[in-house]
Amino acid sequence: MLSAEAENDLHATPASLRVAVLGAGKMGGILLQAFLHSGLFTKSQIVATVAHEERAEALGKQFGVTVTTDNLAAASEADVILLGVKPQQMTDVVGSIAPALKPGSAVHPGTLLISFAASVKTSSIEQAAGPGVAVIRAMPNTPAKLGVGVTALCRGAHVTDEQLALAQRIFDTVGRTVIVDEKHMDAVTGLSGSGPAFLYIIIEALAEAGVNVGLPRDTATLLAAQTTFGAAKMVLETGAHPALLKDEVTTPAGCTVDGILELEEGGLRVTLIKAVKRATQRSRELANP
Ligand SMILES: NC(=O)c1ccc[n+]([C@@H]2O[C@H](COP(=O)([O-])OP(=O)(O)OC[C@H]3O[C@@H](n4cnc5c(N)ncnc54)[C@H](OP(=O)(O)O)[C@@H]3O)[C@@H](O)[C@H]2O)c1
């Protein structure tokens, strides 16, 4: 049962919530670090679990939080449980903590489960968790490591608006968040989940081009990466349509328009669209084997 203080926190600030991260691997570790760094949760509010004792010890030392291999004990202490195990382990792990999970009711919101495993549907987690348990699914991406990720959230059947807002605050510690319907989670996986890999290839290719036209490699890489970053920031901060921003760089009979002609002839636009479509399709296949 949540304390009165913790109940209030689900609706306001999360100062006395107890948080468990089950499966504190790469992504779980990024979140732990961000919680502590942002001050959203303090060390004493957090417990985490991993599979191996030696990893638990190392992680405990690294973050100064309690890390064990006992999921049920960690879940029993928690108001909010982040699930970071591999997709194929998810239903077993949730089934094993089900006795510790509380459904929401008119008087208290119950345990909030937030899974960030790719391709695992809220309905599968709800089924393993038991009747009435609130489940949110999150899809973060790797730039979360530097606090510039983007996470899509979708709600399961029993989630309150306050719980969704809390999940948003949790993932805001590693970048931006968007809320989507669950039917769009495969598309999110194909665009922002896989997207960093597509953009690294573009940056690598631009740097290679710089070398090709005579620039030293480190200078070319810096120019390519900072230009990509700057263009993204322009889109995000001006709110202008990317086509309009592109037009601003493209003077009549200038250099850029010649380059754009090459891009169109090489099919960059259609290739990127096909890459996102293909990654989305693969995510759908993995979710429905
Ligand atoms: N990495 C990403 O970019 C990314 C992005 C979006 C979503 N995700 C999702 O995040 C999840 C984790 O991915 P990851 O890259 O962080 O993998 P990872 O580094 O392998 O982390 C998995 C963690 O789960 C722990 N674990 C395994 N079995 C467990 C159990 N029964 N109970 C408790 N902990 C257990 C492992 O412990 P040990 O360390 O002791 O082996 C490990 O720390 C996946 O579901 C993935 O789909 C990842």
Side-chain angles (χ1 to χ4, degrees), residues 115-203:
S115 158
F116 51 90
S119 305
V120 184
K121 292 187 175 139
T122 53
S123 57
S124 314
I125 299 171
E126 283 165 353
Q127 211 171 358
V133 176
V135 177
I136 289 175
R137 187 175 154 196
M139 184 64 206
N141 66 359
T142 49
K145 195 171 182 175
L146 300 180
V148 288
V150 65
T151 303
L153 299 173
C154 68
R155 66 203 293 170
H158 313 293
V159 174
T160 65
D161 289 347
E162 289 77 15
Q163 287 172 323
L164 194 61
L166 176 65
Q168 193 154 14
R169 288 187 68 181
I170 286 175
F171 284 92
D172 279 348
T173 62
V174 289
R176 292 187 175 212
T177 51
V178 296
I179 293 169
V180 299
D181 286 341
E182 188 156 17
K183 66 177 184 212
H184 294 310
M185 285 304 258
D186 294 313
V188 166
T189 306
L191 177 53
S192 57
S194 305
F198 303 155
L199 288 163
Y200 296 139
I201 292 173
I202 289 177
I203 292 171

Side-chain angles (χ1 to χ4, degrees), residues 21-30 32 48-69 84:
V21 181
L22 308 187
K26 283 189 283 298
M27 190 49 79
I30 288 169
L32 276 179
T49 65
V50 288
H52 302 94
E53 294 285 355
E54 63 279 8
R55 269 270 304 152
E57 201 174 318
L59 213 63
K61 278 197 186 124
Q62 184 185 346
F63 291 116
V65 302
T66 304
V67 186
T68 71
T69 56

Side-chain angles (χ1 to χ4, degrees), residues 258-279:
D258 276 6
I260 289 173
L261 225 104
E262 288 293 334
L263 289 183
E264 298 295 7
E265 204 172 290
L268 179 77
R269 199 185 280 266
V270 78
T271 304
L272 284 173
I273 293 168
K274 282 164 102 173
V276 173
K277 277 185 79 170
R278 188 67 194 89

